[in-house]
Amino acid sequence: MPTPEYTDEDASLNPSRERRFQEIVSSRLGRRTLVAGGLATAAGFLAAGTSGAGPLDDLLDLDLDISLGGGRPSGPLLGFTAIGTSQADTVVVPAGYTATPLLPWGTPILGDYPAFRPGANTAAEQAQQMGTEHDGMHFFPLGLGRARNRHGLLVMNHEAADEKLVQTGSLTGTLPPDSAWTAEMVAKSQAAHGVAIVEVFNENGEWKVVRGKLNRRITANTPMKFTGPARGHRLLKTMADPNGTSVLGTFNNCAHGYTPWGTYLTCEENFNGYFRIDGSGFNAETSGLTTRYGVGGDRNKWALADPRFRVTSANPNEPNRFGWVAEIDPLKPNSTPNKRTALGRLKHENAVVVTAKGGEVVVYMGDDQVNEYLYKFVGRRPWRSEIARGRSPLDDGTLYVAKFSDDGSGQWIPLIQGQGPLTAANGFADEGDVLIKTRLAATLVGATPMDRPEWVAVNPRTSRVYVTCTNNTSKTVANAANPRVPNRYGHIVCWEENKKDHGALSFVWNLLAVAGAGVGAVPTNPPGQTLPDGSNLNPADAFGSPDGLWSDDDGRLWIQTDGAQPIACNNQMLVADLANRPAATPGTATGLPDIRRFLVGPKGCEITGVIETPDQRTMFVNIQHPGEGVPSTWPDSNPSSTAPPRSATVVITRNDGGVIGS
Ligand code: FEO
Ligand code: CA
Ligand code: CA
Ligand code: CA
């Protein structure tokens, strides 16, 4: 079932035009022959390729020339038997593995450690418990040596809140009318959002919450600061913050990032839906921003009791203070999180941090909405020298947006005030304008519209970069990197930066996987489809709506789904061996890596968030919103239980203690 943000992201707010699919494919494939009516064929063609030379063909061997070494395994990376599909109300993992729920919504983690009372906890109690809708997550090890594998901080986002669940404790509860909505209700919802930092310890094989001093909840009301070029900008000023330098809280925290200097990045995604537009009289700039970012809707009814979420002509700028990436130091529980404006304002999915060859920090980021863009930030100086000088490496640098060309090459276009069309006459009088109005700037410079770019992942062994484009059923036109119209099941794009340098300004790209029912297969879900869907997968590996994406240190690419599946199956997690591919066989999923289904979640959930301990022998995966649209009792799976379904983490181990997936 669609998550609340799904419908929202399905609506294009981008007025720029794309070209027709056939035109693109013709120009990209040149002399290659297309089968008539071959949308499906063309998509597989793009991924597999057959002839010619150039960047595309370099990428056909994209995952074959991995250089092995450094103590990493040299053979196949996958050693488990793939599981089948499942519609059971449980987490299914391969034979020889165990999955155990941990830290469900409402688990007390600090303060008075208030017990979970579904629907009955106060706002103050919720702020001392795990929030709802677990999403992106990182494990920060504590201790030295082998202790690092059984002791650490789990830091995770709480993306959203279903008000029925939060306020009544049941997905089928009855909410009061708007006239009876209270400030306490809004405060409880706001406390269910944000980020949780929890110390966990493995005691004789069982992971437990440590009542430690580092445990912390960050919510929609936690004081934060703005840093970087947009700090103090006129578009960030409000009545409550006339300086435009400080802001209360973060919400709709989707996925995340983690820096080499030990901090956590939390990404604000569908912030727009928490505001209500009150009245009229907005100037053209505010109208343009609210339109392009889709501000409005008051999805969680916060505007009923918190004036901050009412957008008025007298106080129009509060929405501009969201849509950022915030940095949190998990080891300093009293530190103030910083919203890093240099990373741009969009519907941020995740933020993958790597280092360029020159030592500068590089952050890859997707903007999850149909026809929005892929970005990267490159720091101005080596990040180690910035840290040594007490400066943030994330405050000074250049934001770029991706342009994918039909011939398999690509460019990163800088978003710099005064360059190209980013002039005062076009509404960009300073760099703050560019960063607050990132989407509008990216359109002006000719970025490539994507099919909802979600997580980005980097294979640390090859430096290749991957992004999930989850789906796009509302578009009517295509481009080479997003070739299907409609794109019901999504795809994964892969690219390699020039000279494998993440700081490079050009790259070559290809499609790694076109999701769906598989080569020659007809989707069975939804029923009634009669055509193959253009997927290049093996039918046994069928999946749709790829979203979460993460490469472990060995180059296993973990793929998590959220949304429509082409087969009757709950949302799932698969893993691809990026070091090994099967021999090419005509008519099959030529060129694909070995992909295996590793996990299927309970009913009505999405799978999102995955991380491991440093020894790769414990994996943490998040199960978000079980029971959405279809009844579930997970994780309290006692048949007589009346407990509501709850988002939770699952801890996955191999019964023989081995590396996960190997
Ligand atoms: Fe929060 Fe785009 O998923
Ligand atoms: Ca979600
Ligand atoms: Ca997501
Ligand atoms: Ca999604």
Side-chain angles (χ1 to χ4, degrees):
M1 292 297 294
T3 56
E5 77 266 22
Y6 181 86
T7 352
D8 181 42
E9 289 151 351
D10 244 12
S12 176
L13 301 175
N14 187 346
S16 70
R17 301 299 298 168
E18 309 150 273
R19 286 184 289 155
R20 302 293 309 180
F21 171 76
Q22 205 59 40
E23 178 195 341
I24 294 286
V25 168
S26 303
S27 93
R28 173 140 160 80
L29 296 181
R31 62 187 177 276
R32 299 170 186 176
T33 306
L34 290 177
V35 176
L39 177 59
T41 310
F45 217 99
L46 281 169
T50 57
S51 65
L56 170 67
D57 300 281
D58 291 344
L59 276 200
L60 295 179
D61 291 327
L62 201 62
D63 296 299
L64 290 177
D65 66 350
I66 185 170
S67 53
L68 304 173
R72 291 292 165 196
S74 57
L77 294 177
L78 306 184
F80 66 94
T81 301
I83 61 172
T85 58
S86 168
Q87 293 186 287
D89 193 26
T90 190
V91 174
V92 181
V93 288
Y97 284 81
T98 300
T100 310
L102 179 73
L103 294 169
W105 165 49
T107 303
I109 60 167
L110 57 97
D112 299 330
Y113 291 84
F116 177 55
R117 296 182 293 131
N121 283 121
T122 64
E125 289 171 340
Q126 173 64 81
Q128 300 169 67
Q129 301 169 331
M130 293 299 287
T132 50
E133 308 225 357
H134 304 30
D135 207 310
M137 162 176 56
H138 191 62
F139 179 82
F140 291 88
L142 296 173
L144 297 170
R146 287 161 64 181
R148 294 164 61 80
N149 300 308
R150 53 191 175 89
H151 187 197
L153 296 177
L154 266 183
V155 183
M156 73 180 76
N157 293 341
H158 294 295
E159 185 181 36
D162 186 305
E163 290 302 322
K164 278 191 176 175
L165 201 55
V166 169
Q167 306 297 347
T168 75
S170 165
L171 281 171
T172 55
T174 303
L175 289 170
D178 288 358
S179 57
W181 213 269
T182 65
E184 165 71 10
M185 292 169 71
V186 170
K188 183 155 76 165
S189 175
Q190 291 172 338
H193 285 71
V195 177
I197 300 170
V198 196
E199 187 175 347
V200 290
F201 183 72
N202 181 335
E203 185 176 5
N204 301 320
E206 187 182 351
W207 287 85
K208 294 179 172 170
V209 173
V210 177
R211 296 194 167 197
K213 290 191 168 65
L214 299 178
N215 291 4
R216 182 180 188 187
R217 278 301 318 282
I218 287 161
T219 74
N221 285 303
T222 302
M224 300 193 167
K225 288 184 187 142
F226 287 112
T227 72
R231 174 182 165 86
H233 195 275
R234 68 188 162 79
L235 290 173
L236 295 183
K237 293 177 179 175
T238 63
M239 289 178 185
D241 174 28
N243 296 322
T245 55
S246 57
V247 56
L248 285 182
T250 185
F251 49 85
N252 211 275
N253 305 83
C254 184
H256 72 301
Y258 46 96
T259 67
W261 54 92
T263 60
Y264 182 82
L265 304 179
T266 187
C267 302
E268 297 174 345
E269 192 187 14
N270 292 297
F271 66 91
N272 55 305
Y274 292 79
F275 294 90
R276 188 176 82 199
I277 309 279
D278 267 4
S280 56
F282 298 104
N283 64 28
E285 184 172 51
T286 297
S287 297
L289 278 172
T290 55
T291 300
R292 185 55 194 277
Y293 285 85
V295 175
D298 196 15
R299 188 169 81 195
N300 288 65
K301 299 179 183 283
W302 292 359
L304 291 176
D306 187 343
R308 178 155 84 97
F309 293 91
R310 294 177 207 143
V311 184
T312 67
S313 58
N315 204 31
N317 289 338
E318 188 70 12
N320 301 340
R321 293 143 65 83
F322 298 89
W324 301 103
V325 174
E327 184 177 19
I328 297 166
D329 187 341
L331 295 176
K332 292 183 181 158
N334 297 317
S335 59
T336 302
N338 293 304
K339 295 197 181 189
R340 302 295 187 194
T341 66
L343 303 186
R345 176 169 169 266
L346 31 131
K347 293 188 183 178
H348 280 284
E349 183 76 18
N350 81 335
V352 176
V353 183
V354 287
T355 301
K357 288 198 169 167
E360 303 87 358
V361 68
V362 175
V363 189
Y364 292 105
M365 303 169 285
D367 183 353
D368 180 9
Q369 185 144 20
V370 298
N371 307 327
E372 294 298 340
Y373 309 122
L374 180 73
Y375 297 84
K376 80 170 175 183
F377 169 84
V378 181
R380 190 170 311 283
R381 287 172 286 273
W383 65 259
R384 285 183 179 82
S385 66
E386 295 286 80
I387 293 285
R389 288 173 171 81
R391 297 193 295 235
S392 169
L394 299 175
D395 281 345
D396 190 7
T398 303
L399 186 64
Y400 298 85
V401 66
K403 182 183 175 92
F404 292 82
S405 300
D406 300 352
D407 65 357
S409 66
Q411 291 80 41
W412 290 105
I413 309 172
L415 300 176
I416 297 174
Q417 193 278 331
Q419 288 194 10
L422 303 182
T423 60
N426 284 331
F428 302 97
D430 53 43
E431 194 60 23
D433 278 332
V434 173
L435 295 168
I436 293 166
K437 300 186 265 191
T438 303
R439 283 182 162 186
L440 290 84
T443 294
L444 275 183
V445 302
T448 299
M450 308 291 285
D451 291 345
R452 296 185 54 195
E454 301 231 44
W455 290 47
V456 184
V458 177
N459 180 336
R461 298 177 71 184
T462 63
S463 295
R464 284 167 187 150
V465 196
Y466 302 82
V467 63
T468 48
C469 292
T470 197
N471 54 49
N472 185 345
T473 52
S474 61
K475 73 177 183 182
T476 55
V477 287
N479 59 60
N482 303 271
R484 289 192 294 188
V485 180
N487 184 3
R488 181 183 295 275
Y489 298 115
H491 60 277
I492 301 174
V493 180
C494 173
W495 70 95
E496 183 175 293
E497 302 282 1
N498 187 28
K499 299 186 174 138
K500 299 196 176 196
D501 181 358
H502 292 297
L505 300 185
S506 64
F507 56 90
V508 291
W509 67 272
N510 202 346
L511 304 185
L512 176 78
V514 181
V519 174
V522 175
T524 58
N525 184 42
Q529 294 196 34
T530 55
L531 291 172
D533 57 22
S535 168
N536 69 343
L537 300 174
N538 282 312
D541 308 325
F543 69 88
S545 307
D547 184 343
L549 196 70
W550 177 71
S551 175
D552 67 23
D553 288 345
D554 293 338
R556 291 179 200 86
L557 187 69
W558 298 88
I559 304 164
Q560 305 178 310
T561 73
D562 167 27
Q565 300 302 301
I567 33 121
C569 187
N570 297 342
N571 273 301
Q572 50 179 319
M573 181 168 76
L574 307 95
V575 56
D577 176 353
L578 292 182
N580 300 280
R581 290 195 293 193
T585 307
T588 67
T590 303
L592 278 175
D594 182 3
I595 299 177
R596 300 185 194 182
R597 184 177 294 117
F598 180 85
L599 176 152
V600 181
K603 290 178 183 289
C605 77
E606 71 174 84
I607 310 295
T608 182
V610 51
I611 195 65
E612 291 174 342
T613 51
D615 66 359
Q616 303 178 285
R617 285 167 162 79
T618 301
M619 172 180 274
F620 302 94
V621 173
N622 276 335
I623 307 294
Q624 188 184 101
H625 61 67
E628 185 177 275
V630 49
S632 167
T633 59
W634 194 88
D636 303 294
S637 296
N638 180 342
S640 61
S641 170
T642 56
R646 291 196 270 173
S647 297
T649 305
V650 286
V651 183
I652 298 169
T653 50
R654 243 170 80 171
N655 300 345
D656 65 2
V659 169
I660 306 297
S662 70

